[in-house]
Amino acid sequence: MGAKAKGRWLVVAIPYLWLLALFLVPFLIVFKISLSQDAIAQPPYFPTFDLAEGWAVFKENFSELSFENYGYVLSWDNEFIEAYVSSLVIAGISTFLLLLVGYPMAYAMARAPKSIRPTLLMLVILPFWTSFLIRVYAWIGILSPEGLLNQLLFALGLIDNPLQILATDTAVYIGIVYSYLPFMILPLYSTLEKMDETLLEAAADLGCPPLAAFWKITWPLSLPGVFAGCLLCFIPAVGEFVIPDLLGGSDTLMIGKVLWTEFSVNRSWTVSSAVAVLLLLVLVVPIVLYQNVQQRELEGR
């Protein structure tokens, strides 16, 4: 094998080894725990596999694994199904709001003079310089009944009683949109910034109105950035825990909170592992759809 072939093999092998060590192996461990049963022991599940006990004991323990926890999670007499549906709905609405807010901002950045684009890009990334937890806590001070927002509305004479925004789904939407907005803007900006502006000039010369030119030229060409931004926001929003826990109320049901409750409060590692595995399977669907869209686009080219 020549040096060039070895280099190619190494370039391909490193990402796969990374995925094997940091994704596949941890996933298999969680999947094995999800097939176990709760136990008052350390670790708090049974069976455990120890090759030192012999192959016969290993086979006996393996035979005790079951999908009972998955049946429990997917049954209709608990809150798991409702939590999954609620998480998907909240993440979907939040992603739509992020697209409505992020697309005009990314479009304006891409059409701004090149001299100020780096500054605008830095302003988008600037919130990442502050802790995510601190930024979410800041919204508590803004949205609470005695917070800055209600004080401003009182000062302007727009309300007589404080608005109850904190501990509602509205606060969760605000927190998600604020926290994930850079993840929507950056891929959109990257796509729009590379677009050939002469296409719009040609459309204008042919008498195409600006709005029609946007829908026929700009929007189709920006779809890769739209899909990438939506995935980058939707996938983590489905499993979000911090924002609904701090800004949402008791009626805000998301799978991240349910997962934390099962693991930390109920001390059920097996059920929480089953919830996590099913959540991963749910999130694989949009990833596969996105890959299919990209594959069709490449074949079209």
Side-chain angles (χ1 to χ4, degrees):
M1 183 182 295
K4 190 174 182 180
K6 290 181 179 179
R8 290 177 179 177
W9 181 87
L10 187 61
V11 170
V12 175
I14 289 178
Y16 279 99
L17 290 174
W18 180 272
L19 289 174
L20 177 66
L22 299 180
F23 176 77
L24 184 59
V25 172
F27 172 78
L28 292 177
I29 294 173
V30 173
F31 181 66
K32 181 268 171 186
I33 296 175
S34 70
L35 300 178
S36 306
Q37 295 84 41
D38 290 322
I40 303 177
Q42 185 65 31
Y45 54 84
F46 181 84
T48 57
F49 295 116
D50 187 356
L51 294 177
E53 296 177 351
W55 181 247
V57 176
F58 181 89
K59 290 194 297 183
E60 180 182 353
N61 289 342
F62 185 82
S63 65
E64 295 183 6
L65 298 177
S66 70
F67 288 89
E68 181 180 350
N69 293 313
Y70 291 93
Y72 172 70
V73 171
L74 295 176
S75 61
W76 291 100
D77 56 350
N78 56 52
E79 63 181 2
F80 295 110
I81 298 296
E82 183 182 356
Y84 279 118
V85 174
S86 176
S87 298
L88 292 173
V89 171
I90 291 176
I93 295 175
S94 300
T95 302
F96 177 72
L97 295 175
L98 280 161
L99 184 60
L100 288 181
V101 176
Y103 198 101
M105 296 178 64
Y107 186 86
M109 291 171 57
R111 295 295 173 265
K114 291 186 178 181
S115 59
I116 66 171
R117 288 181 190 177
T119 303
L120 297 175
L121 195 61
M122 186 194 69
L123 292 176
V124 172
I125 302 174
L126 193 62
F128 287 123
W129 296 3
T130 306
S131 169
F132 172 76
L133 192 60
I134 293 176
R135 287 185 280 129
V136 176
Y137 266 111
W139 278 103
I140 298 178
I142 296 173
L143 300 176
S144 64
E146 302 82 15
L148 297 177
L149 178 60
N150 278 305
Q151 290 182 13
L152 176 62
L153 295 177
F154 273 125
L156 296 175
L158 299 177
I159 59 174
D160 296 324
N161 297 308
L163 299 177
Q164 182 58 47
I165 302 177
L166 190 63
T168 65
D169 287 350
T170 302
V172 175
Y173 291 132
I174 293 173
I176 292 178
V177 170
Y178 166 77
S179 300
Y180 290 101
L181 188 58
F183 295 108
M184 179 64 74
I185 293 177
L186 293 178
L188 285 172
Y189 169 76
S190 177
T191 302
L192 291 169
E193 193 266 340
K194 297 175 183 177
M195 195 182 74
D196 187 359
E197 296 184 12
T198 59
L199 296 174
L200 297 176
E201 296 175 0
D205 292 339
L206 293 174
C208 183
L211 186 59
F214 171 81
W215 286 113
K216 292 181 179 180
I217 299 175
T218 304
W219 174 254
L221 291 177
S222 66
L223 285 180
V226 171
F227 286 125
C230 288
L231 277 180
L232 286 174
C233 296
F234 178 81
I235 291 176
V238 172
E240 181 59 53
F241 163 70
V242 174
I243 294 174
D245 185 59
L246 296 180
L247 301 182
S250 57
D251 296 332
T252 303
L253 188 62
M254 293 192 71
I255 199 63
K257 292 178 63 176
V258 174
L259 180 62
W260 179 85
T261 300
E262 284 295 325
F263 186 84
S264 300
V265 179
N266 298 338
R267 299 292 181 182
S268 179
W269 286 29
T270 59
V271 173
S272 58
S273 297
V275 172
V277 171
L278 290 174
L279 176 61
L280 179 62
L281 295 179
V282 169
L283 296 180
V284 164
V285 174
I287 296 175
V288 172
L289 292 176
Y290 176 65
Q291 288 180 337
N292 288 336
V293 170
Q294 280 191 321
Q295 184 65 30
R296 287 198 298 267
E297 182 183 351
L298 291 175
E299 291 175 354
R301 292 178 181 177

